[in-house]
Amino acid sequence: VMVRNEFEGKTPVDDSVPCRDSTNNPVNWDVALTWRVDPSHASDLYYLKREMPLVDEKSQSDIEDTVVRQVARSRLREVCPLFGYADMEKQRLAISEHYSVLLRADLTSSFLILDEVFLRDLHLSEQQQTAINAQVAGAQALAQKEYERQQAVKTAETAEVNYRAEQAKATYENDQANLRRVAQAKAESEAILAKALAEAEGNERL
């Protein structure tokens, strides 16, 4: 375990892993690893690190410190520059996967097996966190403006549909009124014609 919390891990000081991002900004990662000896190469490890204990809580002259710890810190420093600090939280999985591949290969060469890597807390400076907060706030503001624009477009489209419906309704009602007037005029004309014919027929009888 390599963490900033002084009450966790072997080192009673900030033991998080310092590294730099893609723009050379400093960041610190809390890291925890689980590892074990490759049982098929236990004798090879013994000859490689003769009489060195796997873990010694009272010293740093053990395999955990001289191999695992050194390689773990070195490899994370290689991976960090591939990412910007503002995206590290979102890219945590990608960082962890890339880091695990490199670290697993190194430990395998030392007859050790890497089980899991845990990237825990990412420590940023106050300025970096402020910059991220401003970036998030800006993105939220843009999203809000886009939402408002879309709502305005929907409102305008609804108003246009309603207008066209009212216009069609008015045209229809106007057409119906014209048809009624034409029908009434025709009826009146036919009535006048019928009356005239009736009067003419009456005169002929006289």
Side-chain angles (χ1 to χ4, degrees), residues 68-192:
V68 179
R69 175 186 169 86
Q70 296 304 319
V71 170
R73 298 175 78 87
S74 175
R75 285 305 191 182
L76 188 54
R77 292 191 183 103
E78 292 179 25
V79 174
C80 279
L82 302 176
F83 303 87
Y85 75 85
D87 297 321
M88 283 185 172
E89 282 293 354
K90 293 182 291 186
Q91 296 291 332
R92 179 182 289 267
L93 180 59
I95 296 172
S96 180
E97 289 177 346
H98 194 163
Y99 179 41
S100 296
V101 169
L102 297 178
L103 186 53
R104 181 169 285 108
D106 283 341
L107 294 186
T108 297
S109 67
S110 296
F111 313 115
L112 302 173
I113 296 174
L114 175 68
D115 288 322
E116 290 186 272
V117 172
F118 302 96
L119 289 180
R120 292 168 50 174
D121 291 340
L122 172 63
H123 302 287
L124 303 175
S125 68
E126 184 176 346
Q127 289 180 332
Q128 290 170 334
Q129 193 59 58
T130 298
I132 290 176
N133 293 341
Q135 185 179 33
V136 170
Q140 290 175 339
L142 288 176
Q144 179 64 27
K145 287 183 179 180
E146 177 60 19
Y147 171 77
E148 292 173 355
R149 187 193 69 78
Q150 292 178 358
Q151 291 300 112
V153 169
K154 288 181 180 180
T155 299
E157 289 175 346
T158 300
E160 177 67 16
V161 170
N162 291 338
Y163 166 74
R164 292 187 179 279
E166 290 297 325
Q167 189 179 46
K169 179 181 178 182
T171 300
Y172 172 78
E173 291 177 347
N174 186 56
D175 289 345
Q176 292 299 309
N178 289 335
L179 288 174
R180 285 194 295 271
R181 285 195 293 269
V182 170
Q184 183 178 357
K186 181 180 180 181
E188 290 176 352
S189 175
E190 290 176 347
I192 292 172

Side-chain angles (χ1 to χ4, degrees), residues 43-60:
S43 59
D44 296 316
L45 178 62
Y46 174 76
Y47 286 111
L48 179 68
K49 300 292 182 181
R50 188 182 299 272
E51 298 181 358
M52 182 176 290
L54 292 177
V55 179
D56 185 349
E57 296 294 338
K58 296 182 180 180
S59 77
Q60 295 182 337

Side-chain angles (χ1 to χ4, degrees), residues 1-37:
V1 177
M2 296 169 284
V3 296
R4 175 163 289 186
N5 185 352
E6 62 185 39
F7 299 107
E8 188 177 1
K10 291 176 62 175
T11 307
V13 294
D14 180 358
D15 193 35
S16 58
V17 182
C19 53
R20 291 186 175 272
D21 76 343
S22 58
T23 54
N24 205 37
N25 287 293
V27 300
N28 286 66
W29 278 101
D30 284 350
V31 182
L33 311 172
T34 57
W35 58 277
R36 55 194 167 89
V37 176

